[in-house]
Each structure stands twice: as C-alpha cells, then as structure tokens.
Amino acid sequence: MSRDSNYDHHISIFSPQGRLYQMEYAFKAASSASGLTGIALRGKDTCVVVTQRKVPDRLVVPSSVSHVFNITSKIGCLATGMIADCHSAIQRARYEAADFEFKYGYSIPPAVLAKRMADIAQVNTQSASMRPLAVVMMIVGVDEEKGPQVLKVDPAGHFLPFKGTASGAKEQEATNFLEKRVESIPEYSFDETVRTAIVCLGSVLGSDFRGSEIEVAVVQGVQGKFQSLTEEEIEGHLNAIADEND
Amino acid sequence: MGDSAYSFSLTTFSRTGKLLQIEYALNAVANGRTALGIAAVDGVVIATDKKFASALVEGGDVSKVEAITDSSGFVYAGVGPDYRLLVRKARKSAQAYFREYRETKPVGQLVKSTASVMQEYTQSGGVRPFGVSLLVAGIDGDGVPRLFQVDPSGAYFGWKATAIGKNYVNAKNFLEKRFQDDMELEDAIHTALLTLREGFEGEMDGHNIEVGVVSKSDGKFRLLTPEQIQDYLDEAN
C-alpha cells in the first residue's frame, strides 16, 4: 500500500526519500497564508514583536484584526499563519500556561511553554488523524533567570531560542537584516529594540507605514506585562526613527 | 497515540514483503546530521555537531545529547521533534523503574523499552514510525561500558563504535580503522572528534559540537563543556 502511496502527500507518513510532505505544506501555508511578515527581537531587558495589520475591508473593526496575543499577562505571542489555526494554538497555549501555574504554583517560563507547544505540534506530524496547524508561533517573555527570550515554534515541532527572528512572507529578507546586527542586538535598550524591529519590517516591505498599519507589542523587565503599544506610542517611535534618518 | 479515527496501521507490507514506511524512515535518518559513539574499556563517548541555520539562534542551552538517567544518555540522527518525544518517554520510564526497584534503570533495559516504543509506532493505528535512530551510551552497576543503536523499526544493536546520519558510511570506515579493543576513554574522545572532523564543514570548536561522556570512574553521564571540548581539540592539533 505504501509504494503506490500518494497518501504521503495527504497524511503524515514518510515519502520514499524520508520526507514528511504534510509538514512541509504546513510550513508553506504558515508562511504565505496571511501574506504578513512578523518579527520578534530581544534586547537587554525587552522583548518586542512587530507585524503588519492588514484590515481587509474598511468596515471591519481594526482592533479585531490581530496576530498578537497574550498567553499570560507576562508572556506574549506573535502567531503568523492561518488565523483560525492561530486562534486554536493560542487557546491551547493559554490553557497549558494556566494549568502549569495551577499545578506547580508559579508562572510558566517562556521556554517551558514553547517546548510544550512544540511537543504538541509534533504529535500532529506523527499521527494521521489531525493535520499539522499552519502556524508559526514566536513566544516572547522575560525569564526570571535568563532574561528576555524569543522562542520560535514551527509546524514541525521544532523550537529554538533566538536573539531575533522573523516569520511569514518576507522571512528571509528580515532574517538577513537582523543577522547583520546579531552582535549588538542582545544589548539593545527598550527604544533600540522597538525601533530596530520597526525599521526591519519597513526595510523588507519597502515602504513606510503609519501607526495604524502595524502592530507592536512589548514586554520589559521581569515584572513587566506584555502589552500592545497604542497608535500614539507607535507614531512616537516612527517619528523618532524618521528624525534619526534626517 | 494512534487516534480512533485511524484504527488501521499505516505501515503495511508491500507485495515484496517490505515495510516501506520503515525504510523511508531510515532515509529520513540518513538525511540527518551525523552522530557517533565509541565504547572504550573504561567509558563511552557519544558526539554530534551543533550547527544552526542562523547566527541569530541562542544555542547555549539547546542540546541534542541528553542525559536519561544519571549514568546513561542519548544522541540521535534524524527528526528532532520525534527525538524529544523519545527522550521524554525514556526519562519517564527510567523514573518509573527507579520508583519500583530503587535502582537506576540499566542501559540494556532502557534500550529495550525505548525500542519497544519505537516498534509500537510501526504497528499501531494512525501513526508513522519515528524518524530517528538513537545512540544510547551508559554504564551499569557492573561497570561495563555499553553503546547501543536503536532504529526506527525498533531493532537495536550493541556496538563497539558506530556512526549514524549523513556520511555515516565514511565515518564508520574511519572508526573501523582506528578502533582498538583496549582503547581507553581519552583516546576514544580524541578518535570521536577526529571522526566528526572528517565530515565537518568549516572549523570545529567547543561551541559547534556536543560531546557526552560516561566514565567508569564515577559512572555519571555528563556533557563536556565547550572549554573541555576545546582542550581536547587543541590537544589533537
């Protein structure tokens, strides 16, 4: 049955070369489904996530269009990919974080949450009954011992900690931009972290934007809360960037 | 494991009597990064490279070599997320063993139960085989150093020295030439590093390889620090 298997394209079984096509397709869906690019960066004491806010219709309430989510008050996530799958993954992440705190009596560290979400994602690549979710999650938070962290979880169940990373349509260009600054990124102040992330997004999209066209969310310090910046705050950073360029 | 929606096995016999999903899983392993192990008379060493796709990755705490009990550890070649599942199950089973017998689970038992899990996934409904081969290194209470390989089929083999993953044929030839039955752990570590270097692209240093060691002297499985690895590399030069 396996030799004639075109099923290796349909469910999570190996192809003759040892590849998992469903998993690879899930990656493609996660990158291109929404057409958005997202960036996550961590500085000395701050984590930031930035992405575009593409409102499909003028009648849509803009604040309802978002790929940035709180998992706990201190851990946030930028989920790129198919929005329904994103909602499902976030819901599960919120449950896992709450369950951890209930069982063990302290808040879940970001890396532990990322590992848990990655292990859950792996199950879908091995079991035929559910397809992998087309979501790339960038989980950010400030760990008490390790400081600010960015962890990327993908449909294959891989997860890695990053100094800075990107996902979505322009992932490669954004990553190249960040790699050039890899030495200095871990020392960035709050403003430097936020502004570098915004500049990175601007440079790969090749255009400027207004405060209403991007989402920016930050968490600073061990006591900090993960919160989205208001439109005014984003405009403030955009103005500061424009001034620096003049 | 094996959800009710798929109550039939996905791994079935072909007309020629082969289990093709297992063969394909072995291909996935052969595409993975090289890992190797050597069993010396007074210890075991396992090693692999630690390369990330980007300089932006914070690789400090990420590792492929994992301790399972105090005196044994795993390394793998193949699909990383599948490996994490096996590590988790192995640790849990080792802990359950300790709870029942108040003794550390012996390497042979660990290998058998992990192999059994891997075999189940070749026969249960709705799941595919694991895309990893494991190298298991450890020392039991009897002081005998042991190295085992476990394949996606659930078959396991004891080795004096072996390699898995990309380039494993060359690595095994290299090991065959250099292995001696009376080899000591220090020599084994050097040989392991030389073998890794054969297929290594670029300059090897303490930060882009991982080495796990268990020595007869204290019976503890530990990872060498980047500084220790660098010392061995400097000696080899």
Side-chain angles (χ1 to χ4, degrees), chain A residues 37 39 170 172-175 177 199-207:
Chain A
T37 303
I39 292 163
K170 302 266 178 179
Q172 193 51 59
E173 293 93 332
T175 309
F177 181 101
V199 168
C200 177
L201 189 62
S203 90
V204 304
L205 295 178
S207 65

Side-chain angles (χ1 to χ4, degrees), chain B:
Chain B
M1 194 229 319
D3 228 314
S4 54
Y6 276 78
S7 55
F8 53 89
S9 177
L10 299 175
T11 306
T12 54
F13 287 107
S14 71
R15 261 172 286 145
T16 55
K18 293 200 204 175
L19 289 169
L20 289 168
Q21 275 297 299
I22 295 176
E23 296 204 7
Y24 301 162
L26 285 162
N27 288 343
V29 172
N31 290 335
R33 314 203 64 93
T34 316
L36 53 88
I38 304 179
V41 296
D42 59 340
V44 193
V45 56
I46 50 177
T48 184
D49 64 3
K50 186 173 172 169
K51 279 201 174 149
F52 300 111
S54 167
L56 291 164
V57 175
E58 304 222 67
D61 290 329
V62 179
S63 67
K64 285 158 64 175
V65 177
E66 298 269 24
I68 306 295
T69 67
D70 285 337
S71 52
S72 58
F74 284 4
V75 72
Y76 77 102
V79 180
D82 290 5
Y83 173 68
R84 284 204 318 268
L85 199 158
L86 289 170
V87 166
R88 201 166 75 239
K89 286 196 193 243
R91 283 175 172 162
K92 198 160 182 185
S93 107
Q95 192 61 31
Y97 184 99
F98 184 79
R99 183 171 168 238
E100 191 156 348
Y101 300 111
R102 304 310 276 181
E103 272 184 14
T104 308
K105 188 164 186 174
V107 183
Q109 295 294 311
L110 192 56
V111 165
K112 284 193 182 146
S113 50
T114 308
S116 173
V117 167
M118 292 170 83
Q119 188 282 334
E120 280 172 26
Y121 276 70
T122 68
Q123 208 175 6
S124 298
V127 290
R128 61 164 173 80
F130 285 93
V132 298
S133 279
L134 297 173
L135 289 181
V136 184
I139 292 194
D140 296 332
D142 62 2
V144 176
R146 289 191 166 85
L147 174 68
F148 287 93
Q149 174 180 341
V150 192
D151 273 350
S153 56
Y156 58 91
F157 318 95
W159 288 96
K160 298 176 187 175
T162 188
I164 51 176
K166 253 189 245 239
N167 208 35
Y168 77 99
V169 177
N170 290 340
K172 279 175 84 160
N173 287 338
F174 192 92
L175 285 169
E176 248 177 274
K177 289 197 196 102
R178 280 178 176 55
F179 182 81
Q180 315 268 355
D181 279 318
D182 58 358
M183 208 175 207
E184 289 186 353
L185 187 56
E186 291 293 299
D187 288 327
I189 297 176
H190 278 124
T191 308
L193 293 171
L194 286 171
T195 318
L196 262 186
R197 180 178 287 169
E198 285 292 297
F200 203 88
E201 290 151 28
E203 198 57 42
M204 243 166 59
D205 65 42
H207 290 279
N208 55 24
I209 48 175
E210 290 183 56
V211 181
V213 162
V214 57
S215 156
K216 199 167 167 176
S217 57
D218 63 355
K220 298 246 170 295
F221 182 88
R222 57 194 165 85
L223 274 144
L224 296 186
T225 65
E227 292 74 32
Q228 287 170 320
I229 297 175
Q230 192 60 55
D231 287 340
Y232 280 106
L233 285 170
D234 293 337
E235 278 171 32
N237 285 339

Side-chain angles (χ1 to χ4, degrees), chain A residues 14-124:
Chain A
F14 284 113
S15 77
Q17 296 77 30
R19 290 163 66 180
L20 292 167
Y21 282 112
Q22 271 297 297
M23 194 188 74
E24 295 178 20
Y25 299 161
F27 266 99
K28 280 215 184 89
S31 301
S32 53
S34 57
L36 302 181
T37 303
I39 292 163
L41 205 52
R42 72 114 179 136
K44 200 146 187 220
D45 66 348
T46 305
C47 295
V48 68
V49 296
V50 172
T51 187
Q52 304 154 264
R53 191 198 293 274
K54 276 196 197 156
V55 183
D57 189 303
R58 280 193 308 148
L59 289 170
V60 170
V61 175
S63 58
S64 71
V65 176
S66 175
H67 282 258
V68 174
F69 305 92
N70 273 72
I71 303 197
T72 67
S73 57
K74 294 202 198 152
I75 299 179
C77 179
L78 170 57
T80 45
M82 288 168 55
I83 190 66
D85 286 7
C86 294
H87 285 149
S88 175
I90 294 292
Q91 195 66 4
R92 183 66 191 270
R94 287 173 174 163
Y95 164 79
E96 293 292 333
D99 189 62
F100 183 98
E101 184 156 352
F102 174 73
K103 269 201 235 166
Y104 304 116
Y106 70 100
S107 347
I108 191 167
V112 173
L113 178 63
K115 181 165 196 269
R116 183 79 184 114
M117 294 311 295
D119 288 344
I120 291 166
Q122 188 275 342
V123 175
N124 292 338

Side-chain angles (χ1 to χ4, degrees), chain A residues 198-217:
Chain A
I198 295 176
V199 168
C200 177
L201 189 62
S203 90
V204 304
L205 295 178
S207 65
D208 294 325
F209 20 63
R210 301 202 298 266
S212 57
E213 291 170 352
I214 55 173
E215 297 187 76
V216 182

Side-chain angles (χ1 to χ4, degrees), chain A residues 46-49 140 190 194 216-220 225-229:
Chain A
T46 305
C47 295
V48 68
V49 296
V140 299
F190 176 89
V194 175
V216 182
V218 295
V219 55
Q220 181 181 21
K225 300 235 180 297
F226 180 82
Q227 287 176 325
S228 288
L229 298 187

